[in-house]
Amino acid sequence: MSTILIIFCVLSAVTIATAFLTIYSRNPIHSALYLVISFFSIAGHYLLLNSQFLAIMHIIVYSGAIMILFLFTIMLMNLNKENEVHKPRITRLGAIVSFCLISLVLIAIFINSKPIVGEYISTGADYQSIKVLGLVLLNEYMVPFEFASILLLVAMIGSVLLSKKEKTEK
Amino acid sequence: MDSSIIIEKSVIILVVFAITMLMAMYSTLAERKVAAWLQDRIGPNRAGKGGILQPLADGLKLFSKEEFEPDTPNRFLFFAGPALAMTTALMTSAVIPWGDKFHLFGRDIILQATDIDVALLYLIGVMSIGVYGIMIGGWASNNKFSLIGAVRAASQMISYEVAMGLSLIALLMMTGTLSLREISMQQAGMNWNVFYQPLSFFIFLICAFAETNRTPFDLAECETELVGGYHTEYSSMKMGFYLFAEYANMFISSTILAVLFFGGYNYPGMSWAVENWGVNLANVIGIIALFIKICGFIFLYMWVRWTIPRFRYDQLMHLGWRILIPLSILNIIITGIVMLRAEIAIYLGF
């Protein structure tokens, strides 16, 4: 076995194990911390694919910002086992059905996108370099890129508006 | 891979680790000496000549103290907290260029553990995960004061990271690269970034104070309100690790300030020294110049700590969100206009 394969196997095992523990563990803080480890091992997968930029962005956005806010909220809310809400059976059934549907869609996406990934390898461009990535993003995918930023802005303004509204009503 | 590269990089990593530890160790002594000097006292002078062995004595004391732990259901996380704080403090030094190329044994040696394409983003990434050590430790202590300290530290770090990232974007627009080595090389001569981006430098400096939890932003360990903040429950070497991580962070952020804004290893007359004294000697002077800059910033940290009182919490948030973030966005716009002034003049028909 080559070194890369061993690293891949270890990373995959860690990713799946911690993702499972995220759902399985009772304590919300432990579950958030398992999710952080899972995000780090996914960043490791990006590094194996030679995309440093994606790996670092993944760490900054998910581990550095989103998960810290999650932890922050959980710590402030002080969730315990005692005040855990008991969910009715129909909700659990709904969760299982929606999970199966999402996995179906995801598997379909991965099967269909396989040949396109193959094409990208054959072009021989250096996707590790952020210069190449930036040129592709801002030349070929300019419009979707700008739409994504507008979407984020709208989400941000919306959340600020919601929090302001609550304050005035009180 | 070439085995000599592995040996070379291992030696560099070991030396950088040793120097970071040494600097953090002697920063504790320097802090007390500077405090004494600013308050017109003598300071520690019993251990060794002029107190030179004081850090060793402190370390010995911390190691020999009783290991006390609170009654917490999260024993593992309680131990992981200080370890995480220390790890993230040391991780940043991997991408810092400590000097230019050396020419030894018929090969070029670069004084940098790794020269990655996204070094600047790596720095931001490591800083953003640096808060985990404090948060986990504070929460696992099972103590209200620790939890409030940890939550304060986290919210403060998140707030100031935004302004820090935005201030770096203006610098990035000018340099056009994320590699710290290239940023250092662009500042050769006296083309230091601080002369071109003074506003960016000041915003970054203030955010660096906040990120390292130093006064005037040390609300996380505010003694009058929170006993000791996130490390209230820690004793012996575990508390030593938290304090040590703070000093290591201070050293590393001083290094980043020196590399990004004050020319790194460049000094006036470096090209002349390379021509007349050879590459190696010129580089040794370059490393000394870098360390003089770093020590200057460390002194600034201490100077501010013993001069300016602590902020109130709402003032801290006001400064971060309402002053620094708009200022750094303004800085980005000004930088963009100056960079594109020729195109703008053509467009407006001048």
Side-chain angles (χ1 to χ4, degrees):
Chain A
M1 251 202 300
S2 66
T3 334
I4 300 234
L5 195 63
I6 295 170
I7 296 171
F8 174 77
C9 289
V10 171
L11 275 179
S12 305
V14 170
T15 313
I16 293 169
T18 48
F20 179 72
L21 283 170
T22 307
I23 310 167
Y24 186 72
S25 75
R26 283 298 208 177
N27 192 324
I29 298 246
H30 289 178
S31 138
L33 288 175
Y34 282 127
L35 196 56
V36 173
I37 302 172
S38 179
F39 281 145
F40 268 102
S41 43
I42 291 171
H45 280 295
Y46 283 130
L47 280 181
L48 277 184
L49 294 172
N50 243 346
S51 55
Q52 297 172 350
F53 179 73
L54 265 183
I56 298 282
M57 280 327 265
H58 188 83
I59 287 176
I60 292 175
V61 173
Y62 286 96
S63 315
I66 292 178
M67 283 323 289
I68 286 179
L69 281 178
F70 259 55
L71 269 179
F72 192 76
T73 323
I74 295 170
M75 280 179 189
L76 278 181
M77 281 163 70
N78 202 13
L79 292 172
N80 285 324
K81 274 178 206 158
E82 297 93 61
N83 48 30
E84 192 183 328
V85 268
H86 186 74
K87 292 182 187 70
R89 192 162 288 165
I90 188 80
T91 322
R92 295 183 189 180
L93 204 71
I96 293 168
V97 170
S98 52
F99 171 74
C100 291
L101 283 175
I102 287 174
S103 351
L104 203 70
V105 171
L106 280 179
I107 290 167
I109 287 170
F110 285 133
I111 290 170
N112 288 325
S113 65
K114 217 176 177 183
I116 302 168
V117 172
E119 252 171 59
Y120 271 118
I121 292 166
S122 60
T123 55
D126 181 18
Y127 282 97
Q128 197 180 346
S129 148
I130 42 166
K131 278 189 179 132
V132 174
L133 200 74
L135 283 174
V136 170
L137 210 58
L138 289 179
N139 286 329
E140 287 178 39
Y141 299 100
M142 182 74 190
V143 178
F145 183 74
E146 294 296 333
F147 271 122
S149 66
I150 289 170
L151 191 69
L152 285 174
L153 193 68
V154 168
M156 199 167 80
I157 293 170
S159 60
V160 169
L161 215 70
L162 281 177
S163 65
K164 284 262 174 196
K165 209 175 176 183
E166 248 169 49
K167 228 176 212 174
T168 46
E169 270 173 14
K170 273 177 191 171
Chain B
M1 204 192 279
D2 199 359
S3 65
S4 59
I5 287 183
I6 295 174
I7 295 170
E8 177 193 318
K9 293 295 180 197
S10 318
V11 168
I12 289 173
I13 288 168
L14 268 179
V15 169
V16 167
F17 174 72
I19 288 176
T20 311
M21 283 298 174
L22 197 75
M23 290 295 280
M25 231 168 90
Y26 274 91
S27 294
T28 60
L29 175 65
E31 174 113 78
R32 296 167 72 179
K33 281 282 185 192
V34 169
W37 179 56
L38 288 173
Q39 295 167 349
D40 206 10
R41 295 185 280 117
I42 297 168
N45 65 347
R46 293 290 131 178
K49 201 169 163 57
I52 198 83
L53 295 176
Q54 188 67 39
L56 292 177
D58 284 343
L60 204 66
K61 185 198 80 176
L62 282 173
F63 269 117
S64 57
K65 283 251 171 166
E66 188 194 344
E67 192 98 10
F68 175 81
E69 48 187 273
D71 183 19
T72 169
N74 299 288
R75 204 159 163 275
F76 178 75
L77 289 181
F78 183 73
F79 280 86
L84 273 174
M86 200 69 199
T87 314
T88 44
L90 291 172
M91 260 165 77
T92 327
S93 58
V95 292
I96 288 166
W98 302 94
D100 208 357
K101 259 184 232 159
F102 267 101
H103 199 77
L104 283 177
F105 315 119
R107 43 182 285 129
D108 286 337
I109 295 171
I110 301 166
L111 281 187
Q112 190 176 11
T114 168
D115 180 24
I116 51 174
D117 211 19
V118 287
L120 206 57
L121 283 175
Y122 173 85
L123 287 186
I124 298 175
V126 175
M127 278 173 198
S128 66
I129 58 170
V131 71
Y132 277 117
I134 292 173
M135 270 189 108
I136 290 172
W139 179 76
S141 296
N142 212 9
N143 177 328
K144 277 178 187 144
F145 293 120
S146 301
L147 181 64
I148 293 173
V151 168
R152 273 187 180 186
S155 58
Q156 172 183 332
M157 280 176 161
I158 294 171
S159 314
Y160 279 78
E161 248 160 41
V162 182
M164 186 181 238
L166 285 174
S167 75
L168 283 180
I169 284 177
L171 182 80
L172 202 73
M173 283 161 74
M174 236 185 58
T175 57
T177 176
L178 286 170
S179 158
L180 287 182
R181 195 175 140 67
E182 276 175 46
I183 290 175
S184 292
M185 283 183 341
Q186 281 173 2
Q187 301 181 68
M190 282 299 280
N191 285 323
W192 294 357
N193 283 331
V194 66
F195 301 129
Y196 300 102
Q197 291 285 355
L199 189 58
S200 178
F201 166 69
F202 278 114
I203 295 168
F204 190 88
L205 183 70
I206 293 168
C207 294
F209 273 93
E211 290 281 307
T212 46
N213 273 324
R214 295 280 300 182
T215 330
F217 304 110
D218 65 342
L219 274 299
E221 39 184 311
C222 187
E223 300 92 350
T224 44
E225 302 162 19
L226 296 179
V227 190
Y230 56 87
H231 54 63
T232 305
E233 293 284 358
Y234 283 91
S235 62
S236 129
M237 204 53 206
K238 290 204 289 297
M239 193 208 66
F241 254 47
Y242 269 128
L243 296 186
F244 218 60
E246 183 185 323
Y247 284 98
N249 262 328
M250 203 166 88
F251 168 65
I252 295 291
S253 63
S254 302
T255 315
I256 295 167
L257 277 163
V259 168
L260 286 180
F261 293 98
F262 275 77
Y265 51 76
N266 290 297
Y267 53 94
M270 192 176 180
S271 52
W272 182 87
V274 170
E275 273 170 32
N276 290 289
W277 297 338
V279 184
N280 292 341
L281 192 60
N283 270 327
V284 171
I285 301 172
I287 295 167
I288 294 168
L290 177 62
F291 272 89
I292 289 171
K293 289 167 191 170
I294 293 169
C295 291
F297 278 115
I298 291 177
F299 176 70
L300 183 71
Y301 269 103
M302 290 163 185
W303 189 6
V304 169
R305 173 166 181 181
W306 297 105
T307 312
I308 299 177
R310 195 176 281 141
F311 274 88
R312 223 170 52 220
Y313 202 69
D314 59 318
Q315 291 171 333
L316 173 94
M317 284 297 156
H318 183 266
L319 179 71
W321 288 100
R322 300 233 175 121
I323 298 174
L324 291 182
I325 293 177
L327 256 185
S328 43
I329 293 174
L330 186 76
N331 193 27
I332 292 173
I333 296 171
I334 293 171
T335 312
I337 290 173
V338 171
M339 280 173 72
L340 294 174
R341 60 187 182 279
E343 282 89 341
I344 291 169
I346 292 165
Y347 184 74
L348 293 175
F350 287 128

